[in-house]
Amino acid sequence: MTGVARSERMDGRAAKQARNRRLIVAAAHDLFAERGFAATPVTVIASAAGVAAQTVFNHFPRKEEMFFDGRCVWLEIVDHLARHPDRHTSGPALVDLVSTLVAAHLERLEEPAARTALADLAGDPGLHLWERGLQQRAAQAIGTHIARHAPEAVAAAAQRCGALTVAEVAVVVEDRRRALLDQGASAPRTSAEQVHALLVDRLTDQHDLVVAQVLVSPAHRGPVP
């Protein structure tokens, strides 16, 4: 087999894997919305996606991974910082990034299909525990990003900064989820500007001096990278 043929074969395999992953996630989310997370076995997801059950497990060893794939603000934070390690290097820029991602996440919660997911999250301890793990990943990613770009004096506390940032964001997200579960479509909407202001307010008022220096201190206010 020539190098070109081998490359084309690998490209075709990668395209098939990406296609299967999209089909699996779409089928899983539709079924979770229709039946609920706990009542949807992997075999049913595989059948709906038109793939073998083993193919599902190859992509998603745990069903929880399918639940959060493509609709988890914590993974979006991790992914964005990994893809853009040299952007959002100032405190205000990082706050803007997190606020924008959270605002988009909250807007998606307004969709009818998200209501079942919210109920699953509220009632399934396994999903709640899995999300805690994703929050820890986001906190670590933020801390690593801060340590890479912050002054040496505050870099040592970067992981604590990441943990406190995620904790504050989690409060905002959870408050919105509860409002939607309790009030449904009548729950007042929260704009991106309101989310940004709320996050900055929480970070400023409740974080310690180190977090204030890294994220919202005027000394770090400069052009957004």
Side-chain angles (χ1 to χ4, degrees):
M1 181 182 295
T2 66
V4 172
R6 185 180 296 109
S7 177
E8 290 177 347
R9 182 177 180 181
M10 292 177 63
D11 289 345
R13 183 178 302 170
K16 181 179 180 180
Q17 290 176 343
R19 174 179 174 274
N20 283 343
R21 185 182 181 91
R22 289 193 299 270
L23 290 172
I24 291 167
V25 171
H29 287 183
D30 287 345
L31 288 166
F32 293 155
E34 177 185 344
R35 304 168 56 137
F37 176 78
T40 305
V42 170
T43 52
V44 173
I45 295 171
S47 178
V51 300
Q54 186 58 51
T55 301
V56 176
F57 285 115
N58 289 343
H59 287 277
F60 301 99
R62 293 288 299 269
K63 194 168 68 167
E64 290 87 349
E65 295 178 74
M66 284 183 275
F67 182 88
F68 287 106
D69 189 273
R71 56 182 182 184
C72 175
V73 69
W74 316 116
L75 290 176
E76 290 173 7
I77 291 171
V78 172
D79 180 64
H80 193 97
L81 293 179
R83 288 188 292 109
H84 305 289
D86 296 319
R87 296 178 60 185
H88 314 291
T89 57
S90 70
L94 186 56
V95 169
D96 285 340
L97 168 66
V98 173
S99 299
T100 299
L101 294 176
V102 173
H105 174 74
L106 296 184
E107 286 183 351
R108 290 194 296 272
L109 294 185
E110 306 284 347
E111 300 171 2
R115 301 302 163 81
T116 303
L118 290 176
D120 281 332
L121 271 172
D124 192 301
L127 285 174
H128 181 71
L129 183 62
W130 193 269
E131 185 177 30
R132 290 291 298 274
L134 298 178
Q135 290 172 349
Q136 291 173 2
R137 286 181 58 186
Q140 184 176 15
I142 292 172
T144 300
H145 191 78
I146 292 172
R148 183 181 295 117
H149 301 291
E152 185 176 352
V154 296
Q159 288 303 324
R160 186 180 178 209
C161 294
L164 289 172
T165 300
V166 167
E168 296 300 337
V169 171
V171 171
V172 174
V173 171
E174 186 60 28
D175 284 350
R176 186 57 182 165
R177 288 175 179 172
R178 288 177 180 172
L180 288 170
L181 281 173
D182 294 342
Q183 304 174 42
S186 63
R189 288 179 174 269
T190 304
S191 69
E193 292 77 12
Q194 289 173 314
V195 171
H196 183 275
L198 181 60
L199 284 174
V200 171
D201 182 64
R202 286 184 180 276
L203 291 171
T204 303
D205 290 345
Q206 298 184 23
H207 283 197
D208 59 20
L209 179 61
V210 173
V211 177
Q213 289 176 336
V214 173
L215 296 179
V216 294
S217 171
H220 290 81
R221 294 187 185 279
V224 176

